[in-house]
Amino acid sequence: MGKAEEISTTKYLIHAQINANGIVEKPDVVGAIFGQTEGLLSNDLDLRELQKTGRIGRIKVNITSRGGRSKGEIVIPSSLDRVETAILAASLETINRVGPCEAYIQVSKVEDVRAVKRKKVVDRAKEIYAGMMDEVTPESLKMIEEVKEAMRIHEITDFGDEKLPAGPNVHTSDAILVVEGRSDVLNLLKHGIKNAIAVEGVSVPKTVAELTRKKTVTAFVDGDRGGELILKELLQVGEIDYVTRAPKGKEVEDLGKDEIMVALRDKMPIEQMFHDLGIKVEPKSEDKMVVLKNILTELEGSGNAEILDDALNILKEVKVENLYDELKRINNHPYAVVFDGVVSQRLLDIAHEKGIKHIVAIRTGEIVKRPEKVKLITR
């Protein structure tokens, strides 16, 4: 096998250090390597056979002697896979004699030749690219940008029944970005982000609402009032996991690559957004009914009552027998009462007096007068 072919197939270089208590030379070291590893490993990893078939290259030894001792380096080229090369390297450390002398061999590293080559390729490619760009005229740059823009427009797709503008990866990606409009999707495509879909207005389409229930969703909105409105709508009809915004006063379609990367890196979980930005999102009325009924199911059999605000947060939790007295005292605008009990006329009257909109209970008792503004829901 020729030297050029041996070098071209090398994947790894095993580097080992040798110390011997006596004067030894290169042939002694090579002989010890072949002799003392023979029979140690399987026939597939026998050094002589590996060298005959070109799976390891010529063993190189650089050794010097001084003061009656010898030390040096062993280098073995390998075209074996990673595991086999590691086993071969470890076998060198079993050698304890070279010729008549005691010796100690330790593997210092296994070098990935291809990684070194890749680094050289990348470094050289950078040099070549820099030279190419030096020769590019402003007119050429303009043409390149026009071609890139045409390619971005070609990549954009129509998604769902509403034909929403979307990147080509929205179908397949587990995580998506929800943005406002087509221009936002195009700008993200420009910078290599292909999993964005636009809502095309403040009203969130059904397609997007359904997507949010299947995928991990980041709402990427403009840094203005419009962005906040879209975010509120998304939170009401969809299931958003993260939120990020363009810098204040800027729109997603105008952001450069660095600004986009910073925004995506700094996205926050939806719960943190509620706390940090103080955005209060109320459930839609039909969703509130479902939530209230679910609360009743949870309370059934407990003998407890919950007084809720208009966002269905608990203002007070009390025993049913204390509910009337608590409603008389409460002054922080209660919206609904859910309790494990029977609605009485007395309770209905105090609820109306306090401006409560919904009473949810197991059943109703004898009601003579039912206020129009209080809605009764029973099991």
Side-chain angles (χ1 to χ4, degrees):
M1 180 173 291
K3 185 176 180 182
E5 186 177 351
E6 174 187 299
I7 292 173
S8 67
T9 59
T10 298
K11 297 178 184 177
Y12 303 99
L13 291 177
I14 301 170
H15 294 264
Q17 300 298 316
I18 179 170
N19 288 277
N21 293 326
I23 297 174
V24 298
E25 296 181 350
K26 176 180 176 180
D28 301 320
V29 176
V30 174
I33 291 172
F34 281 112
Q36 293 184 46
T37 59
E38 188 174 5
L40 179 65
L41 306 175
S42 67
N43 291 336
D44 292 338
L45 291 177
D46 180 79
L47 280 178
R48 294 186 191 279
E49 291 301 318
L50 291 174
Q51 198 168 60
K52 284 178 185 177
T53 57
R55 299 183 72 192
I56 67 164
R58 186 177 294 108
I59 299 173
K60 301 173 185 177
V61 179
N62 292 314
I63 196 160
T64 57
S65 301
R66 182 179 296 174
R69 296 178 63 86
S70 302
K71 64 184 300 184
E73 182 185 35
I74 301 167
V75 179
I76 303 178
S78 167
S79 62
L80 302 167
D81 65 27
R82 188 177 302 178
V83 175
E84 292 171 329
T85 300
I87 293 171
L88 185 62
S91 73
L92 298 178
E93 296 188 350
T94 65
I95 297 169
N96 53 24
R97 299 192 71 83
V98 174
C101 307
E102 290 184 357
Y104 172 71
I105 295 177
Q106 183 174 28
V107 175
S108 55
K109 66 177 179 178
V110 177
E111 182 181 7
D112 188 334
V113 175
R114 294 166 302 176
V116 174
K117 289 179 179 178
R118 280 194 291 268
K119 185 177 185 305
K120 288 181 179 178
V121 169
V122 170
D123 291 343
R124 180 57 181 150
K126 289 177 181 177
E127 293 176 5
I128 293 171
Y129 179 73
M132 292 167 62
M133 293 308 294
D134 287 341
E135 299 173 3
V136 174
T137 63
E139 291 79 11
S140 298
L141 284 173
K142 185 177 179 181
M143 290 172 63
I144 291 169
E145 284 305 313
E146 287 178 0
V147 173
K148 286 182 177 179
E149 179 68 23
M151 290 304 297
R152 287 195 298 271
I153 293 172
H154 179 70
E155 278 191 305
I156 200 166
T157 61
D158 294 330
F159 192 94
D161 295 337
E162 299 93 340
K163 306 293 183 184
L164 300 173
N169 292 358
V170 168
H171 292 270
T172 56
S173 179
D174 291 332
I176 61 168
L177 300 174
V178 176
V179 294
E180 181 179 349
R182 181 184 180 87
S183 298
D184 300 332
V185 176
L186 280 171
N187 191 41
L188 293 173
L189 277 173
K190 172 182 177 182
H191 298 295
I193 298 169
K194 301 182 178 183
N195 61 335
I197 185 169
V199 295
E200 289 283 80
V202 176
S203 180
V204 176
K206 182 181 177 182
T207 294
V208 174
E210 290 175 352
L211 269 180
T212 65
R213 295 177 177 89
K214 301 174 185 175
K215 298 176 182 284
T216 301
V217 179
T218 299
F220 193 177
V221 297
D222 296 340
D224 56 17
R225 175 66 178 162
E228 186 171 317
L229 292 174
I230 289 173
L231 182 55
K232 284 188 175 184
E233 178 71 14
L234 274 169
L235 291 169
Q236 289 190 39
V237 302
E239 296 178 11
I240 306 301
D241 301 288
Y242 298 94
V243 175
T244 191
R245 305 185 73 175
K248 190 173 182 179
K250 284 195 170 186
E251 297 181 352
V252 175
E253 64 182 274
D254 299 323
L255 301 184
K257 184 169 185 177
D258 289 344
E259 291 175 305
I260 291 171
M261 292 303 127
V262 168
L264 295 179
R265 183 196 66 202
D266 294 342
K267 67 184 180 183
M268 66 175 71
I270 195 69
E271 297 82 2
Q272 183 183 339
M273 185 275 297
F274 286 141
H275 179 271
D276 292 355
L277 301 182
I279 296 177
K280 183 179 180 182
V281 181
E282 299 179 4
K284 288 189 170 182
S285 58
E286 59 268 28
D287 296 331
K288 286 182 177 179
M289 295 304 101
V290 174
V291 174
L292 290 171
K293 290 175 183 177
N294 288 340
I295 294 172
L296 178 62
T297 301
E298 292 171 6
L299 289 178
E300 189 170 354
S302 68
N304 290 339
E306 290 183 5
I307 304 171
L308 310 169
D309 66 10
D310 57 358
L312 304 189
N313 298 311
I314 298 176
L315 296 174
K316 195 79 174 180
E317 185 170 5
V318 297
K319 286 293 181 181
V320 172
E321 56 263 31
N322 300 325
L323 179 57
Y324 179 82
D325 293 335
E326 187 62 43
L327 287 176
K328 284 187 69 175
R329 287 192 296 268
I330 201 163
N331 290 311
N332 47 352
H333 307 294
Y335 172 81
V337 176
V338 185
F339 68 99
D340 178 32
V342 180
V343 182
S344 65
Q345 183 68 59
R346 181 167 169 254
L347 189 65
L348 195 56
D349 291 341
I350 190 64
H352 178 254
E353 182 182 322
K354 292 293 181 176
I356 291 172
K357 306 297 183 188
H358 298 278
I359 293 181
V360 187
I362 300 299
R363 60 186 178 86
T364 59
E366 187 176 341
I367 304 296
V368 178
K369 182 181 178 183
R370 179 177 295 192
E372 289 183 3
K373 294 183 179 180
V374 180
K375 183 171 183 179
L376 285 177
I377 303 170
T378 62
R379 186 183 57 182

